[in-house]
Amino acid sequence: MPGSTRQFARCLLGLFVALLFTLPAFSQLRNAAAGRLSVGAAVNIDAFNNTSGEPQYRPTLSREYNMLVAENVMKFDTIHPAQNTYNFTQADQLVAFAQANGMKVRGHVLIWHNQIPSWVTNGNFTRDQVIAIMQDHITTVMQHFAGKVVAWDVVNEAVSDNNGAMRTDSFWFQKIGQDYIQMAYQFARQADPNAKLYYNDYEIEQPGPKADTAFSIVSGLRQQGLIDGIGWQMHKVNPFRITSANETNAARFLNLGLEMTVTEMDIRQTLPSTPTSLQQQALGYGDVMRFCLTRCAALVTWGFTDKFSWVPGTFPGQGDALPFDMNYQPKPAYTAMLNELGGTLPAPTGLAATAGNAQVSLTWNAVTGATSYNVKRATTSGGPYVLAGTATGTSFTNTGLTNGTTYFFVVSAVSSSGESPNSAEVSATPSGGTAGFTIAFSPTSLTVNQGASGTSTINITRTNFTSGIACTASGMPSGVSATFNPTSTTGNSIAMTLAAAATATAGGPTNITVSCTGGTLPARTATLTLTVGGGGGNGGVTVTPAVASSSPFFNELQVRLANTQTISALTVTVVIQRTTGVSFSGQYNTIGGQITQSNSSTTSAITYTFRLSSGTLAPATSGRTFAAQASGSGTAHPTSGDTWTATYTVGGQNFTQTGTF
Ligand code: XIL
């Protein structure tokens, strides 16, 4: 490829990548409505220009709408503040924004009885002068925006609320007479023959005298080819529903060959709104969208967020009239409109958050039809949320968070036709800092007798640390060794067993230091105190077997036991060989009632069992006897093959001794 072509290709690629990243993260109403009708909103210039204070205003506007209208800044008093002064600055800003974001612009408004500057009303002009002022105004404004504004509200609110009478107290009516209307449309047609010319009014959606007057005005203008559209403002009060009367009334306007736009819709309600009133409101919004889908060039709301609406200032005690709430979150009204456009996805379910170090990991259930998900975060429950990121799968990790701050998350599903409502909210508080771990013994002291062993658990507490941890021990007295199970772990505990040889030095307590390392971290140490008990490998228990009697008619085998430390569990068993004619004849012990005695016989053996009842202790003593008796006839029983076993616990250690008589 020649250099210049390659350069061009690279340029194109760059442009494509730049476009990819400058496209809004997700597009909603406007995408769902694309090719069917325009969706628009009136723009409050203060919010629009307060980009730092209202960071969500512009993104929401351009994401959701493909049409805008100036709420005030194209009105006479703003745009034409003195006879020879036109001020297009703010209106131009809106038009530039619209063009940058692929949005159409409605022009509002040329001739209206409100928001006329005093230089006009107090100027003492003659009829002809007022007509000239009107023509100059219409011509200058329309030509300034020619090609940029698709439709103009040429005359606004010319009919009064009084039984369909003209608004005779209008400055224009008083100065010019009813002809002002026709003149305005003539001037407008001349100024920009490509713009659609609208008549705009409120309460003309309802059949009645006011609608009839509006109808006859536009009929006359239509016959002269001076008008293209009818605007229904639709400032409504909740609960509002479209009825067949509205449809019939629309039909007569449409039958004139006019296009129709809902130009200033809102549905106000008494504050505070409730979940129920918001659902009611949603029915009205859904109705108007459904109505408009088959009839309107555009559906425009008078603002979009309840944070900026003319309602509270004009109708005290009322508000919440728009599709987005104060936090720019879509309300049921929004969802209802999206529904009518077939763009609804259900909210994701199963959102779960796991806090990490300066991050929170989220998972949720997939939503059928979703192409991506918007993860939104707030630092107060319920919002305002900011877009934390988008995910194509069902998980997302939000990094760069502040440890110790609680964050609230919701997730919405997105498809080409729109965005779902938000999921239920979850919260998480990231914590941690540097990765590390600590260790601690449980128990922190052990007594191990000579010839026995004892175990203590090393509990590991990890913070953002997942490496394997291994330990070594030092400081053991002679004859004591330490083993670790497991030798290394990525889990949370290691068992340390200290085994004392029979020859280990008795005494203590001695400090045993265990040192554990993991990854590249310096070692953590913990100390355990060890006492080595005496007993030479039997826990201080001496067992002496004795044959007290061995005769042709009676045997008594004794297990004599002496202990230097308290015994906490003890079982002594004697097994006598059952030679011909020999059988059980009795058993006893010198401890008493805390010993449970039992016996059993087979053809070859008699077993005598003596068991210290659980929970009782056998204190140190120089001698105890456990006796097993048998009787028989004939030759003397050969006691030499009879056996004994003593199993006991001393100082937490288990011992077993066995032997024969
Ligand atoms: C309202 C604006 O929303 C307010 O900010 C302003 O103070 C007064 O005008 N019908 C119309 C709109 O045609 O121009 C009006 O806008 C609302 C009623």
Side-chain angles (χ1 to χ4, degrees):
M1 190 170 6
S4 59
T5 313
R6 196 178 312 126
Q7 217 168 9
F8 178 68
R10 200 177 300 138
C11 196
L12 266 187
L13 182 73
L15 198 71
F16 177 72
V17 170
L19 265 179
L20 208 67
F21 287 99
T22 50
L23 280 175
F26 49 102
S27 305
Q28 311 311 336
L29 275 184
R30 61 180 282 176
N31 265 15
R36 298 196 273 175
L37 81 172
S38 298
V39 282
V43 179
N44 175 307
I45 198 70
D46 295 331
F48 179 84
N49 281 330
N50 187 7
T51 45
S52 57
E54 294 299 333
Q56 300 196 78
Y57 192 87
R58 289 185 183 205
T60 307
L61 177 66
S62 57
R63 188 190 70 217
E64 299 290 343
Y65 300 98
N66 53 18
M67 174 177 265
L68 62 75
V69 55
E71 184 175 358
N72 285 303
V73 300
M74 285 189 187
K75 289 176 181 170
F76 207 132
D77 55 355
T78 304
I79 216 158
H80 193 176
Q83 186 150 18
N84 297 314
T85 310
Y86 283 89
N87 180 358
F88 295 114
T89 315
Q90 292 174 312
D92 284 346
Q93 286 170 354
L94 294 186
V95 171
F97 178 84
Q99 290 186 334
N101 290 285
M103 304 166 82
K104 292 179 179 172
V105 179
R106 285 199 92 246
H108 178 84
V109 50
L110 295 168
I111 298 300
W112 186 31
H113 62 279
N114 276 336
Q115 293 174 272
I116 316 170
S118 53
W119 73 261
V120 176
T121 49
N122 296 345
N124 244 336
F125 296 113
T126 64
R127 180 175 190 267
D128 285 349
Q129 285 172 320
V130 172
I131 292 170
I133 287 169
M134 184 168 82
Q135 178 167 19
D136 173 64
H137 179 77
I138 291 173
T139 306
T140 309
V141 173
M142 285 188 74
Q143 287 181 351
H144 178 83
F145 294 110
K148 299 174 179 170
V149 167
V150 292
W152 276 101
D153 292 331
V154 179
V155 173
N156 192 33
E157 301 180 355
V159 186
S160 79
D161 299 329
N162 175 23
N163 212 25
M166 293 304 293
R167 190 181 295 275
T168 51
D169 56 359
S170 156
F171 168 81
W172 306 107
F173 188 98
Q174 297 208 332
K175 281 292 183 175
I176 303 174
Q178 186 156 346
D179 286 359
Y180 85 90
I181 297 175
Q182 184 176 347
M183 289 177 188
Y185 284 87
Q186 273 162 347
F187 298 148
R189 202 47 117 204
Q190 282 162 18
D192 179 3
N194 295 319
K196 303 267 188 194
L197 307 184
Y198 269 70
Y199 175 74
N200 191 47
D201 213 331
Y202 60 89
E203 291 299 333
I204 58 168
E205 62 278 356
Q206 210 52 42
K210 185 168 182 176
D212 292 345
T213 304
F215 180 73
S216 78
I217 292 171
V218 299
S219 298
L221 291 168
R222 184 68 187 157
Q223 274 161 22
Q224 302 168 70
L226 290 177
I227 193 167
D228 310 296
I230 179 72
W232 287 3
Q233 294 186 5
M234 300 201 79
H235 294 289
K236 305 310 300 182
V237 178
N238 197 44
F240 169 75
R241 302 301 304 262
I242 289 282
T243 64
S244 58
N246 302 125
E247 293 170 353
T248 312
N249 187 36
R252 62 171 166 164
F253 284 99
L254 291 168
N255 286 340
L256 294 176
L258 296 175
E259 67 174 42
M260 167 171 277
T261 289
V262 169
T263 53
E264 305 184 13
M265 183 185 175
D266 45 24
I267 302 181
R268 60 185 182 264
Q269 52 193 303
T270 304
L271 294 174
S273 60
T274 65
T276 307
S277 71
L278 292 173
Q279 293 297 340
Q280 269 179 338
Q281 182 187 47
L283 296 175
Y285 269 96
D287 277 7
V288 175
M289 180 58 85
R290 188 165 53 249
F291 168 88
C292 264
L293 264 171
T294 53
R295 295 175 177 86
C296 304
L299 194 176
V300 181
T301 53
W302 206 238
F304 56 97
T305 163
D306 290 332
K307 195 166 183 182
F308 299 101
S309 163
W310 77 309
V311 168
T314 313
F315 307 96
Q318 310 219 23
D320 287 359
L322 290 165
F324 288 84
D325 70 14
M326 297 269 184
N327 297 321
Y328 297 89
Q329 293 305 300
K331 291 160 61 180
Y334 170 90
T335 309
M337 287 196 289
L338 197 57
N339 252 327
E340 292 300 332
L341 294 167
T344 309
L345 291 172
T349 58
L351 179 64
T354 310
N357 179 19
Q359 65 180 42
V360 172
S361 297
L362 299 156
T363 57
W364 56 90
N365 299 328
V367 170
T368 311
T371 48
S372 67
Y373 299 88
N374 292 316
V375 178
K376 306 174 194 179
R377 184 189 64 225
T379 46
T380 48
S381 179
Y385 298 105
V386 297
L387 190 66
T390 59
T392 48
T394 56
S395 63
F396 181 79
T397 297
N398 191 196
T399 55
L401 301 177
T402 305
N403 287 329
T405 299
T406 298
Y407 294 93
F408 300 87
F409 292 91
V410 293
V411 174
S412 63
V414 177
S415 74
S416 59
S417 57
E419 181 185 20
S420 77
N422 291 335
S423 68
E425 186 189 70
V426 293
S427 67
T429 311
S431 67
T434 343
F437 70 96
T438 59
I439 56 169
F441 275 115
S442 174
T444 53
S445 64
L446 271 189
T447 298
V448 176
N449 289 320
Q450 292 166 324
S453 64
T455 298
S456 180
T457 301
I458 302 163
N459 291 314
I460 302 166
T461 305
R462 294 170 178 271
T463 314
N464 312 307
F465 186 69
T466 52
S467 305
I469 293 172
C471 306
T472 56
S474 61
M476 277 86 72
S478 145
V480 175
S481 63
T483 53
F484 297 91
N485 182 27
T487 51
S488 172
T489 186
T490 54
N492 295 325
S493 69
I494 294 177
M496 182 180 80
T497 299
L498 292 174
T503 53
T505 315
T510 309
N511 283 343
I512 311 282
T513 302
V514 64
S515 169
C516 300
T517 54
T520 55
L521 293 179
R524 272 62 169 157
T525 59
T527 304
L528 173 131
T529 53
L530 171 70
T531 303
V532 177
N538 59 17
V541 175
T542 314
V543 181
T544 312
V547 178
S549 172
S550 180
S551 73
F553 54 88
F554 183 73
N555 291 296
E556 179 167 325
L557 301 184
Q558 293 183 353
V559 172
R560 294 177 188 158
L561 191 145
N563 57 315
T564 58
Q565 298 177 64
T566 303
I567 295 175
S568 59
L570 172 67
T571 303
V572 174
T573 312
V574 175
V575 180
I576 291 183
Q577 304 155 93
R578 197 170 178 197
T579 48
T580 310
V582 171
S583 60
F584 173 85
S585 76
Q587 66 186 124
Y588 69 88
N589 71 84
T590 59
I591 298 182
Q594 67 265 47
I595 297 288
T596 306
Q597 301 184 154
S598 61
N599 66 86
S600 63
S601 297
T602 65
T603 49
S604 59
I606 309 164
T607 302
Y608 302 77
T609 303
F610 305 86
R611 185 170 287 120
L612 183 64
S613 304
S614 81
T616 61
L617 298 171
T621 180
S622 57
R624 310 177 191 283
T625 297
F626 301 89
Q629 297 166 331
S631 61
S633 56
T635 55
H637 171 74
T639 55
S640 60
D642 295 344
T643 61
W644 59 269
T645 305
T647 303
Y648 52 91
T649 303
V650 173
Q653 311 301 312
N654 298 327
F655 298 88
T656 300
Q657 296 187 48
T658 59
T660 56
F661 290 91

